[in-house]
Amino acid sequence: MPLASSLGVGILLLVCVIRLLYYAWARTFSSTPPVPPGPKPLPFIGNVHQLPVENQQKTFLEWGHRFGAVVHAKLFHSPVIIINSLEVARDLMEKRGGNYSDRPPFVLLSELMGWDSTLTHLRFGERFRKHRKWMQSAFMAKPALLSYRPLQRRESHIMLAGLLSDPDAYVRHFTRFAAATLMEITYGHRVTSESDLYVHMAERATTETVKAGSPARMLVDFFPILKHYPTWLPGSKFKVDALYVRGLVKDMTDTPYEMVKRKLESGNAWPSFTGNLLEEHYRKGPLSHEDEIDIKGAAATLYAAGTETTATTMTTFIFAMVRHPEVYRKAQEELDRVVGLERLPDFDDRESLPYLNAVIKEVYRWHVPVPSGVPHFSMKEDEYRGYRIPESSMIIANIWGMSQNTDIYPDPEIFRPERFLYNPNDELMDPKNIIFGFGRRLCPGKDFADSNVFLLASNIVATMDLSCARDEEGREVLPPLEFTSGFVSRPRPFKCVFTPRTPRAVELIRHLNNEA
């Protein structure tokens, strides 16, 4: 071997040895804190192989039991911090919200599918703060919430009439209620039929987003270069489907927005979130392209984020009541005692119905509608409890895991509303402080959503008896304890029987529906 070659090989070996010694020294003597404990990753794929396709929140909780309240994992090359503790979630996402209020770069949902201008997906910054301010004015100000009550009452009466005429379609009635209230608030458009064009467009966009956003297709989030993958090559279905959804999302955001603009120009627009923003911007001068995109995105956020979760929560309520008839009877007894049988319960009755409130809290806790929330993102490196949280870590708050904390909720698998009767003001126990998210990413519509659930639940309890469906031999069929898996989780489809409690209940429903 020539001398020059021998020297080159020797120098290369020496450099490798020095680097190995340096890494060994750094790991032994460096003052940099370690990352939190977690499952052992494999080269390149990290911990992807340890995550099931369904019900990942259960695996996250198992890791929490094994490794502690803060768990570190890797999805390919991306660090992930998993939180199963409410205390830790508040410490990081509320007390240190300036560092943990960002969102990961959702390439599939934002860049390819076109959800990039909705508040749920916006990166932390000026645009986020602008959207957040708009949402707070519409859904966190008490005068605004009070102004929605006549609309909520009207649509709840239509929902009850739907249960009278077609009780088997109860999920569709809940979805229509949520869609109609949010469509009118957002665009000033009153929904008068189940075939409403704008509702249909929105449902198609959200449904197809869920279908095309499966975990297997989210590889592009970890390897963004895949967004440039040609659609004519084999294996491009993820991109073809995403671009198809992009067209649906564009229709969903553009069409009702243009409708509001036309009505404003003709002077016959109803008051609405979108109309108010447009008029506010018109007073300042011409509408910029950026402002137009932001108004469209903010409006789409209201509808897309609220419709599915409201219908899901109400379906879970019915599921729990069918499986626990003794709880339903207690709620009926309380309503009969407080409200009576001559009218329907209203918002002002809520403080006088502690048991029904406990039932609603238990519905929230027993099966949370969004088990793992929407991930946050660390903007810079941080240290917490002696551990290093890397910059650009995906932060997953396992909301379902928090709802199963045996220290706070003994026997968490049991549906037991009484657990909230003895601690009605305990913020640590109240699942309302968990299921709507944390910090600056807290759902601004949480009070509106909660009031919807109360109004629908109380009206159903007051007017309807609930029971299991029966088989061909007349035996009751208890629906199995099964839930769908995914970003939003609800009971698997089940049958039950709605029966008007009294002739007076039927009379009330029909009278109020005629007025609506």
Side-chain angles (χ1 to χ4, degrees), residues 358-372:
V359 171
I360 291 172
K361 288 181 180 181
E362 184 68 340
V363 167
Y364 290 155
R365 184 210 66 81
W366 185 60
H367 189 74
V368 298
V370 185
S372 297

Side-chain angles (χ1 to χ4, degrees), residues 115 171-180 182-183 187 191 193-212 244-245 248-249 251-253 256 300 303-308 311 490:
W115 291 101
V171 176
R172 194 171 74 236
H173 300 317
F174 297 151
T175 302
R176 185 208 177 281
F177 167 88
L182 290 170
M183 193 62 71
Y187 300 108
V191 175
S193 75
E194 292 185 359
S195 58
D196 184 271
L197 170 65
Y198 302 115
V199 171
H200 177 66
M201 294 172 71
E203 286 182 350
R204 279 191 70 202
T206 52
T207 300
E208 293 301 321
T209 295
V210 172
K211 288 181 182 178
Y244 168 69
V245 171
L248 298 178
V249 172
D251 289 342
M252 168 190 170
T253 56
Y303 183 89
T307 303
E308 175 69 15
R490 63 167 58 179

Side-chain angles (χ1 to χ4, degrees), residues 133-194:
K133 182 180 178 182
W134 290 345
M135 297 293 183
Q136 287 175 333
S137 297
F139 282 102
M140 298 183 77
K142 189 172 182 180
L145 290 174
L146 291 175
S147 73
Y148 303 145
R149 287 187 171 184
L151 168 62
Q152 292 170 284
R153 291 188 190 100
R154 185 191 78 208
E155 292 301 328
S156 70
H157 301 155
I158 295 173
M159 181 277 301
L160 288 174
L163 290 179
L164 272 184
S165 61
D166 189 4
D168 292 340
Y170 62 92
V171 176
R172 194 171 74 236
H173 300 317
F174 297 151
T175 302
R176 185 208 177 281
F177 167 88
T181 53
L182 290 170
M183 193 62 71
E184 192 160 327
I185 290 169
T186 306
Y187 300 108
H189 169 70
R190 182 167 179 178
V191 175
T192 57
S193 75
E194 292 185 359

